[in-house]
Amino acid sequence: MPPKRKTTPAINLIAGGTAGLCEAICCHPLDTIKVRMQLSTRTALPGVRKMGFFATGVNIARKESIFGLYKGLGAVITGIVPKMAIRFSSFEFFKGALADKTTNKTTSTGIFFAGLAAGTAEAILVVTPTDVIKIRLQAQHHSMADPLDVPKYRNAAHAAFTIVREEGISALYRGVILTSLRQATNQAVNFTAYTEIKAYLKSIQPQYQELPSYQHMIIGLISGALGPLSNAPIDTIKTRMQKEPAIEGESAFGRVSRISKHLMQREGILAFYKGITPRVMRVAPGQAVTFAVYEQVSKSLEQVPLLNGHQSVLTAED
């Protein structure tokens, strides 16, 4: 069997950015639906039935045009490449640091903590500010097909400028702790599940040097679904926190406590899981797309001599 090709961080960056872009374009409408569901309250008239994720999506498309489902996409795309670069490079760094110095292998526990650290790094450096901008744009109920319906935030750049001007630069980092917890648990679960399932499939299919693309998609689908299920309450509180301006004199812990108490008292325990269906539907297939596109793009880039070198994060053997 020929030796496995190795890839450089440059390939990880290009392939990861391309995969992230495809994932965002394919799955962003589900994220918009998730945000709207998380921001909804039970203040509707008595007898009015709550809208599920499908009805919420139809309602957005009908009242705000189909483009309404892509509100905030600019903020997501802007952060995709740096987020992927930070995720993969930091995961590789921590994975190497936690590896056994004699065998150069990383245990499942090491993979988990490397994913935890990678998720924290991407949350602090990229995800939190882009999430704040994205959520502000997604929360606006205006029709993108009506030029006279001018929203407060016109696009990602205008939203960032307006938020900083009115609320200060710190507003872009509102909810950074919760975002870090969400991203950390997401990537810890994601990388661990992906690595373990992939290792198992390779052990029962020794005929493959590398698994087929459809198997990468299935693994990504499974590993991607586990993260949202593990941290849904964190994501719901974070979304509520990032949507509203800060209250003067209120600490971050105070905001979390107030929002949590409000959710529990007025809407019940299930309110913490609002939007879980579209979130799983967004993240799980998103990871499937990411892994499948990543593998295909990286294989193509491996043919470029200047880009060959170190082993890829997602195709590395532990």
Side-chain angles (χ1 to χ4, degrees), residues 47-69:
V48 176
R49 186 176 180 181
K50 287 178 58 182
M51 290 191 296
F53 76 91
F54 181 76
T56 300
V58 171
N59 187 60
I60 293 172
R62 185 177 67 248
K63 293 184 176 180
E64 305 170 43
S65 86
I66 192 68
F67 298 108
L69 293 169

Side-chain angles (χ1 to χ4, degrees), residues 231-248:
N231 57 28
I234 295 173
D235 190 58
T236 298
I237 297 170
K238 176 200 72 69
T239 299
R240 294 283 181 105
M241 192 173 181
Q242 291 177 323
K243 190 260 182 183
E244 63 180 34
I247 297 176
E248 187 175 354

Side-chain angles (χ1 to χ4, degrees), residues 16-313:
T18 304
L21 180 62
C22 293
E23 183 255 359
I25 292 173
C26 292
C27 303
H28 188 76
L30 291 169
D31 187 68
T32 299
I33 296 171
K34 178 212 73 170
V35 168
R36 288 292 181 87
M37 291 180 71
Q38 288 178 329
L39 294 177
S40 68
T41 61
R42 289 187 180 175
T43 56
L45 295 174
V48 176
R49 186 176 180 181
K50 287 178 58 182
M51 290 191 296
F53 76 91
F54 181 76
T56 300
V58 171
N59 187 60
I60 293 172
R62 185 177 67 248
K63 293 184 176 180
E64 305 170 43
S65 86
I66 192 68
F67 298 108
L69 293 169
Y70 284 90
K71 287 178 177 178
L73 180 60
V76 174
I77 292 177
T78 301
I80 279 293
V81 172
K83 181 176 81 170
M84 290 295 182
I86 292 168
R87 176 184 297 178
F88 295 151
S89 59
S90 59
F91 174 75
E92 182 74 356
F93 171 79
F94 289 112
K95 178 183 172 184
L98 294 170
D100 186 279
K101 303 308 176 185
T102 56
T103 63
N104 202 33
K105 291 184 177 181
T106 309
T107 64
S108 297
T109 301
I111 293 290
F112 181 86
F113 281 106
L116 207 67
T120 302
E122 70 178 23
I124 294 172
L125 297 176
V126 179
V127 178
T128 301
T130 56
D131 255 15
V132 171
I133 296 168
K134 173 183 70 69
I135 288 169
R136 294 293 182 93
L137 289 165
Q138 289 173 321
Q140 296 183 133
H141 293 259
H142 71 286
S143 174
M144 297 181 72
D146 184 358
L148 298 180
D149 191 359
V150 181
K152 179 177 181 179
Y153 306 118
R154 295 192 295 270
N155 51 51
H158 181 256
F161 175 79
T162 304
I163 292 169
V164 172
R165 183 187 63 193
E166 295 181 352
E167 304 173 45
I169 190 71
S170 62
L172 293 177
Y173 285 89
R174 188 163 299 137
V176 64
I177 295 176
L178 292 177
T179 302
S180 297
L181 284 172
R182 184 196 66 179
Q183 294 302 114
T185 51
N186 269 349
Q187 299 316 315
V189 171
N190 189 28
F191 277 116
T192 304
Y194 185 87
T195 301
E196 291 297 314
I197 297 172
K198 179 179 177 180
Y200 172 73
L201 290 178
K202 292 200 74 173
S203 70
I204 62 174
Q205 301 174 104
Q207 69 272 28
Y208 291 127
Q209 179 184 6
E210 185 54 57
L211 298 177
S213 294
Y214 78 90
Q215 293 191 20
H216 285 296
M217 290 191 71
I218 293 173
I219 301 172
L221 194 72
I222 296 171
S223 64
L226 295 177
L229 292 173
S230 69
N231 57 28
I234 295 173
D235 190 58
T236 298
I237 297 170
K238 176 200 72 69
T239 299
R240 294 283 181 105
M241 192 173 181
Q242 291 177 323
K243 190 260 182 183
E244 63 180 34
I247 297 176
E248 187 175 354
E250 186 179 46
S251 66
F253 180 77
R255 284 196 294 273
V256 172
S257 299
R258 173 175 56 80
I259 292 171
S260 301
K261 184 177 179 180
H262 181 276
L263 280 168
M264 179 63 75
Q265 290 181 341
R266 298 192 181 185
E267 303 179 52
I269 188 68
L270 293 181
F272 290 97
Y273 290 87
K274 280 186 173 183
I276 186 62
T277 300
R279 188 173 174 224
V280 171
M281 290 180 64
R282 159 73 172 86
V283 176
Q287 287 301 308
V289 170
T290 297
F291 283 123
V293 173
Y294 180 92
E295 297 291 350
Q296 291 301 313
V297 174
S298 62
K299 286 178 184 177
S300 298
L301 294 176
E302 284 167 6
Q303 307 305 315
V304 181
L306 292 177
L307 294 179
N308 282 326
H310 303 294
Q311 193 173 12
S312 162
V313 173

